[in-house]
Amino acid sequence: MSALAFIAALASSAPFASATLPLPPELRESASIVSLDSEGNVTALRSGDGKMVCIADRPDDVTFDVRCYHRDFIPYLYRVRRLSAEGISRADIDARIEQEMEAGTFHMTMRPTAGYRMLGPITALTKDGTAWTDEMWRWQSIHIPNATAEDLGFVTEEDLGLVTGDEALMPYVMASGDLWSHVMINSPPE
């Protein structure tokens, strides 16, 4: 078995340890953990009594990607995944969700909530799947639905000229004015 296959197998066999890695240590034990399939279906892996819900890494690829969101905000992400799987374009998803909110068929928080994410090659995990190397990108976000960068007093990712892989070490707003609007806070490399 290659080192890559070994680490991928380890991460998939111990999803609780690896799924909560983006969170501060104080929030890991109480977090719920779920998996999402390609259709946006949610499977509970662990029920926690905390406010954070982590989406476990998909075990069958070479990328480690785990995200944790506040339990009152994660319904938005679930709905986005489901609508994407149904073929709704990204440009139309927020409008559809806002219609569902107005009709009372979908509910999500509109108050600020936290998000945490880690993304990188599966080989950036340590052998036991509980720590990472400096190849892993880590960031936090504060989700504030419909907030604009101007209202919050931040610049946008466009203002900074960011492209995938850039890591600004100053906060900025992504998706300004959308339901997905959030302040990004990148962690410096270890």
Side-chain angles (χ1 to χ4, degrees):
M1 177 184 296
S2 72
L4 180 61
F6 172 77
I7 293 171
L10 181 62
S12 67
S13 68
F16 302 152
S18 63
T20 61
L21 279 179
L23 292 174
E26 299 80 8
L27 299 178
R28 292 177 185 165
E29 189 174 314
S30 65
S32 296
I33 301 172
V34 301
S35 65
L36 284 177
D37 67 17
S38 60
E39 300 298 312
N41 297 309
V42 180
T43 301
L45 301 177
R46 180 179 87 184
S47 180
D49 60 2
K51 294 185 180 193
M52 301 306 293
V53 179
C54 296
I55 302 170
D57 182 52
R58 291 186 182 181
D60 49 358
D61 63 22
V62 297
T63 302
F64 180 75
D65 184 1
V66 292
R67 307 161 184 235
C68 303
Y69 298 98
H70 193 280
R71 66 180 178 212
D72 295 339
F73 181 78
I74 204 162
Y76 171 77
L77 186 70
Y78 295 161
R79 191 67 183 130
V80 167
R81 294 270 181 105
R82 176 63 64 128
L83 291 172
S84 294
E86 292 174 9
I88 307 296
S89 72
R90 182 66 191 127
D92 295 331
I93 286 176
D94 273 2
R96 171 83 172 266
I97 291 173
E98 286 179 351
Q99 289 172 348
E100 293 173 358
M101 289 171 64
E102 288 175 19
T105 58
F106 177 76
H107 305 281
M108 65 175 270
T109 188
M110 297 301 284
R111 64 183 174 79
T113 59
Y116 301 84
R117 186 171 178 196
M118 291 181 83
L119 175 66
I122 196 77
T123 54
L125 285 177
T126 57
K127 285 199 297 185
D128 65 357
T130 62
W132 60 91
T133 69
D134 62 2
E135 293 178 86
M136 192 68 71
W137 293 331
R138 301 175 302 119
W139 61 92
Q140 300 80 43
S141 52
I142 302 169
H143 292 264
I144 310 168
N146 295 329
T148 67
E150 182 180 358
D151 291 341
L152 297 172
F154 288 105
V155 296
T156 66
E157 61 188 320
E158 293 85 6
D159 294 332
L160 294 174
L162 297 179
V163 295
T164 302
D166 285 345
E167 294 187 39
L169 292 180
M170 66 180 300
Y172 60 95
V173 172
M174 290 185 72
S176 182
D178 293 347
L179 286 173
W180 183 243
S181 177
H182 57 283
V183 177
M184 288 286 294
I185 306 162
N186 289 308
S187 295
E190 296 277 317

